Structure formats: structure tokens, C-alpha cells
Amino acid sequence: MYSEQVGLFDRVASILDLCKRMPDTMSDEEVEGLLKFLPTDSQNSIRAMLVPRFRDVSVKFLKLVAKWVHTARKAPLEGKKVIIVPFNFPPELIHAFDNACPITSEILSTLGVVALEGQGERYWDMAMGLGLPDHSCSSSTIELGSMLGSSDFRPQAIVSAAPGGCDVNAKIHEFVSNYLDIPQFFLAKIPDDSQRGHAQYSVEARKLIKSLEQFVGEELTEDKLRKVMERANRCTELHYELWDLQRARPCPVPNLFSLYLYGVRFSMWGTQDGIEMLEAMVDLAKQRLKQGAYPAPQEKARTLWCYTSYYFDFANLFNWMEESGYTHLGDGLDLYFPQPVDTSSMDSMIEGFAEAARNMPMTRQVGGQSMSGQWTEDCITAAQQLDADCVIYCGHHSCKQTWSVLSILRSEIERRTGLPMLVLQGDSWIRRMTPISVIQHEIDEFVQNVVARKEQGKRRSRKHKSIN
Ligand code: SF4
């Protein structure tokens, strides 16, 4: 039993200790043995990750996350600075410093939801107890609530890339910085996507690098940055290999891989571990493509989730979907469209970093000059390239940004592609909002009554045309 005062980071790190000791290939008995040690609330998600069809890749993913968390945990003892970043900040910049390491608020919250008894709800409640509004975004508030209300691990600085993208995210990081007296550095996005706006963003990125150099006490040299950017370029290649594999029908990429993909993007992008993780995902997807492997008798619907998914029960969302024939082609957090970085000079690499930061999810869409316009374009590009049959919006309760333009998104997608959209209600990180059984029911009804009928209609009209 943990005392109420133990923070999310420390509890997650203890559970991940177990993952470090797991063999790379686990038998069913070993999986059952591991599950006995885990809290009841985490069993559905960990069991879903360890299904035989992609178990080895999930073990690799758990070990990657364990290494990332433990590197941060021991960093202060080695005289290094731990810098907390939001998910929309490319962590490769921090990896390029020898004396700093990144840790991402939203990944920590997600790990808390996946791995802890109580799914991190106590830390959300701590934030509410301090008087923070209940329309805060649970993605970051669960971890930051832990930092505010318990004796949690403390980073040495915060980098916020949310100003201009999401006020909710920007303000909670700012509040934590002030409350705990931790310095904060900004990368703000102005709502101007012209050349002028891009130039301004790159000025901001250069200012941020200078501030980080001073804070970490280390010069970011061309060699160090190149090493990381070359690895980031390899991650980009692998990202697109996986994207291409997802286009096949039935989809050979397991549903949970869309989550693993951005898990790597937000933590270990630009590292050798990140590359090896993505390679393992691509290799397995290639094997499954060759075998025509799909966990259901038939792929009934290919769904693109236009913003976040739900993270409190992997078994009853990601795996339930693919076992029902519903493919999850990724969600809005996979929409960061990475580009190869020109590594010929320091200048070109900084430009490449600024471009990557501008393209991170949320910054690119929610922080776009026209939020509805950019979000629509990105969803349509993904839906068309991945051959989606429909789009699903998770209805994350605190996300006023996305709710505010959702009706535009829905009607534009329908007008331009004919794809129907399901709008759900619930909180992506808090199970108390909408039970997973309700979410399943709504997805089932939507596929059977809307997606399947549309497909039948298309088939009938093709037949009619060919007879005439
Ligand atoms: S989900 Fe919405 S509220 Fe939360 S960080 Fe993203 S844009 Fe902000």
C-alpha cells in the first residue's frame, strides 16, 4: 500500500522496475505471473498489451518506457537536469544535451492511468482540491496534480510549447512553475502560418535553445545536435513505413501501435532506443501483412480518431475494436507529419527542429492560423491516405478548443470525403466520465447503422451503374 503522499512518478517508476526485469519473450504463464503482481486497475491495459499476437513488441515498448523513466529518475544524482515538456514539444532537442533529459507530462499521466491502482484519479482530485477548474485537461493535470499535491519527483525546469496552441495546457504548466518555483521556458506559436509566422517561430526556437544552454550550463554543439537529428530522421523513415503498412486491408498494424507510435514520438524520438522500437513495430506489421493476419474474421470498419483516444482500458478499447473487426488507424496525436531534417549545418538543423515543433500535434492544428481549416486538412489527408471508412471524435470533456470547431470539422469531412463521423462524450484519461461499455455500445451502433449501411449503399450503386 502506498501512502497518499507518494507521487505518481515514483509509483509508476516502481511498477516499471518490474518491466525492466521481464524477459524479452514471455510465456503465457509468465504473463499471468506478472499480472498477479500488478494492481487490479492496471490489469486490463497490461493484459491487452501482452496478447500473444504482438506481445514481444509490447514488452519492448514497456522496457523503453521503463528506461526513459529511470533515466530521468537517476539524472539529478548524476548532476543532470530533468526538464518536463508537454507532448507537443519535440524531445529530441533535450536529448541533444549531455546534461539534460526530457520527461513528458502527458505520458506520465497516461502511465499513471495505465499502471496504477486508482488510475491516477487521486492526483486529479489533488489538483481539484487546490481549486483548479474541473475543465482542466486531464492529460497533464493528473501528473501535474501529483507534483502539486504529493511529494512527487521534481523536474528542474519546464519547457512549455503550449502558448498559442492550448491555453489550458499552457496555464497549468505555468501554475506549476510558479507554485513550485521551477523555471519555465517558452516556445510560443503565433497564429500566422505564412512565411513570416514561420520565421518568427524559428526566432522563438533559437531563443529557447539559448535559454536552455544557459540553464543546463552546456553548449549545444553541431556534432551533438547532428547525432540526434540523424536518428530523428531514421525515426521519420520508420514512421512513414508504418503509415504505408496501415494502408493495407485488412490492416496488419495492431490498433495499439498507433499509441506506441506517438509514445515514441513524445519520449525517445531521436534516440537509438526509439529507432529500435519503431523497427520492431514495422517488422511485426510486415510479417502480419505477409501472413494476411487480422484478429477478426473480417475487417468491418477502418476508423480514424480525429483527436485523442481513451487510455483507461486498452483491452476494452483498442483490442476489443480489432477483435470486433474495427481497425484503429491512429488518432490526432499521430498527426505530426515528420519531415527529414537537413543535417548539413547547425542552422539547417535548428530550422528542422523548429519545423518539427510547429508540426507537433495540437501546435499544428489547434495552434493553426485557422484551427478548423488545418485540423480538417490533416484529418482528410490521413483519412484518404489510410483509406478510412469513418472518423471518430472522442469528445474529451476538457478540450474546449476542439469542441469549438467540431461541427465545422464534421460537416467538411462529410462534404469532401463522404465519411461519417461519430461524436463521443467522455474523458480520455478518466474512466469516471463515461464507462467503456457505453463507448463500445456507441461504436458498435455507429458501425452497424451508419458505416455498414453506407458501404452497402455504395456497393448497390456500383452494381446499379454496371447493370445500366
Ligand atoms: S486535449 Fe485539448 S485541452 Fe488537452 S492539451 Fe490538447 S488541446 Fe489542450
Side-chain angles (χ1 to χ4, degrees):
M1 280 291 281
Y2 286 102
S3 109
E4 292 292 310
Q5 282 308 308
V6 181
L8 179 147
F9 183 95
D10 288 331
R11 289 172 67 203
V12 163
S14 308
I15 295 217
L16 289 173
D17 271 338
L18 282 176
C19 301
K20 279 201 308 189
R21 278 178 266 160
M22 277 158 41
D24 293 341
T25 298
M26 294 177 78
S27 64
D28 292 348
E29 291 72 25
E30 283 166 330
V31 169
E32 288 307 316
L34 172 75
L35 290 171
K36 284 202 177 73
F37 280 102
L38 294 177
T40 325
D41 282 344
S42 71
Q43 300 216 344
N44 275 3
S45 290
I46 303 291
R47 192 184 287 284
M49 294 173 85
L50 296 177
V51 288
R53 60 182 180 272
F54 53 89
R55 182 180 294 162
D56 289 357
V57 179
S58 295
V59 169
K60 202 171 178 62
F61 184 70
L62 287 167
K63 288 187 176 211
L64 173 102
V65 173
K67 185 170 179 183
W68 177 69
V69 166
H70 285 100
T71 305
R73 187 149 74 160
K74 65 179 181 7
L77 304 172
E78 296 168 348
K80 296 183 183 172
K81 303 257 170 48
V82 179
I83 301 186
I84 198 154
V85 299
F87 71 98
N88 66 327
F89 182 81
E92 55 269 30
L93 181 71
I94 312 291
H95 286 302
F97 286 93
D98 290 332
N99 294 316
C101 73
I103 199 89
T104 314
S105 320
E106 293 78 5
I107 298 201
L108 289 177
S109 292
T110 308
L111 290 173
V113 172
V114 169
L116 301 183
E117 187 63 38
Q119 301 206 330
E121 284 162 4
R122 89 167 60 149
Y123 305 113
W124 168 264
D125 293 343
M126 282 174 184
M128 297 304 104
L130 280 171
L132 288 170
D134 67 0
H135 48 80
S136 300
C137 183
S138 46
S139 69
S140 47
T141 301
I142 292 174
E143 161 54 15
L144 297 175
S146 166
M147 282 173 57
L148 293 167
S150 68
S151 54
D152 202 5
F153 174 84
R154 280 215 188 165
Q156 280 72 52
I158 297 177
V159 166
S160 176
C166 172
D167 287 351
V168 180
N169 193 306
K171 284 294 157 195
I172 188 152
H173 282 92
E174 185 182 322
F175 181 74
V176 171
S177 155
N178 288 323
Y179 196 88
L180 299 180
D181 200 17
I182 301 172
Q184 182 175 217
F185 306 102
F186 294 104
L187 178 57
K189 161 89 171 57
I190 54 168
D192 176 356
D193 288 331
S194 68
Q195 283 306 323
R196 198 162 150 259
H198 291 185
Q200 181 58 36
Y201 196 68
S202 123
V203 169
E204 299 294 327
R206 285 166 199 273
K207 276 198 229 160
L208 172 72
I209 291 171
K210 282 271 157 284
S211 308
L212 285 173
E213 284 181 326
Q214 273 172 16
F215 177 72
V216 177
E218 175 190 338
E219 189 195 347
L220 181 66
T221 64
E222 191 168 332
D223 282 352
K224 284 190 268 189
L225 190 56
R226 181 168 295 113
K227 204 158 128 193
V228 166
M229 287 303 175
E230 281 171 353
R231 289 179 180 154
N233 282 347
R234 176 67 185 135
C235 290
T236 295
E237 284 169 12
L238 291 160
H239 167 100
Y240 285 113
E241 271 196 62
L242 204 65
W243 182 275
D244 274 346
L245 285 157
Q246 275 181 308
R247 297 153 92 125
R249 276 185 188 256
C251 183
V253 182
N255 283 356
L256 260 173
F257 281 19
S258 63
L259 179 70
Y260 295 176
L261 182 58
Y262 55 75
V264 175
R265 180 66 190 102
F266 304 156
S267 63
M268 290 291 233
W269 197 264
T271 67
Q272 189 55 33
D273 293 291
I275 291 175
E276 286 168 19
M277 180 64 218
L278 295 174
E279 282 174 346
M281 289 161 63
V282 167
D283 288 348
L284 184 78
K286 279 184 180 163
Q287 260 178 45
R288 290 166 60 86
L289 178 68
K290 224 174 177 175
Q291 297 159 348
Y294 190 74
Q298 188 200 346
E299 186 182 48
K300 293 183 192 149
R302 295 167 61 86
T303 68
L304 176 77
W305 289 60
C306 60
Y307 204 45
T308 50
S309 298
Y310 295 99
Y311 308 106
F312 49 82
D313 188 342
F314 292 170
N316 284 303
L317 186 72
F318 294 92
N319 287 19
W320 167 79
M321 281 183 70
E322 71 186 13
E323 285 152 17
S324 307
Y326 308 155
T327 296
H328 184 294
L329 294 166
D331 63 40
L333 303 186
D334 288 302
L335 301 182
Y336 48 83
F337 302 100
Q339 299 299 320
V341 173
D342 171 0
T343 55
S344 58
S345 69
M346 189 70 181
D347 207 49
S348 66
M349 289 188 285
I350 294 178
E351 285 305 311
F353 160 73
E355 166 87 357
R358 217 167 30 77
N359 284 331
M360 288 302 270
M362 187 171 85
T363 307
R364 178 181 162 104
Q365 294 91 17
V366 184
Q369 186 167 335
S370 159
M371 178 183 165
S372 55
Q374 189 60 55
W375 195 21
T376 303
E377 284 308 320
D378 287 351
C379 286
I380 289 180
T381 302
Q384 288 178 333
Q385 291 190 3
L386 299 174
D387 199 12
D389 301 320
C390 60
V391 179
I392 298 180
Y393 174 65
C394 66
H396 179 47
H397 98 287
S398 56
C399 194
K400 290 161 290 296
Q401 285 74 247
T402 51
W403 272 114
S404 71
V405 296
L406 184 69
S407 58
I408 303 175
L409 180 81
R410 173 151 68 174
S411 52
E412 276 303 291
I413 289 181
E414 199 147 3
R415 187 180 68 78
R416 288 170 54 187
T417 66
L419 297 181
M421 184 193 285
L422 169 67
V423 176
L424 295 167
Q425 302 262 357
D427 189 296
S428 293
W429 285 267
I430 302 181
R431 62 187 163 178
R432 293 183 287 199
M433 216 62 76
T434 310
I436 200 76
S437 55
V438 173
I439 291 164
Q440 287 183 342
H441 179 72
E442 298 220 4
I443 295 173
D444 264 339
E445 293 277 302
F446 173 66
V447 172
Q448 282 157 28
N449 296 324
V450 180
V451 181
R453 285 190 187 180
K454 262 195 154 190
E455 283 304 307
Q456 278 165 9
K458 272 198 256 166
R459 275 198 295 276
R460 264 202 298 272
S461 104
R462 277 198 293 268
K463 204 165 152 195
H464 185 70
K465 272 189 200 147
S466 67
I467 292 168
N468 289 329

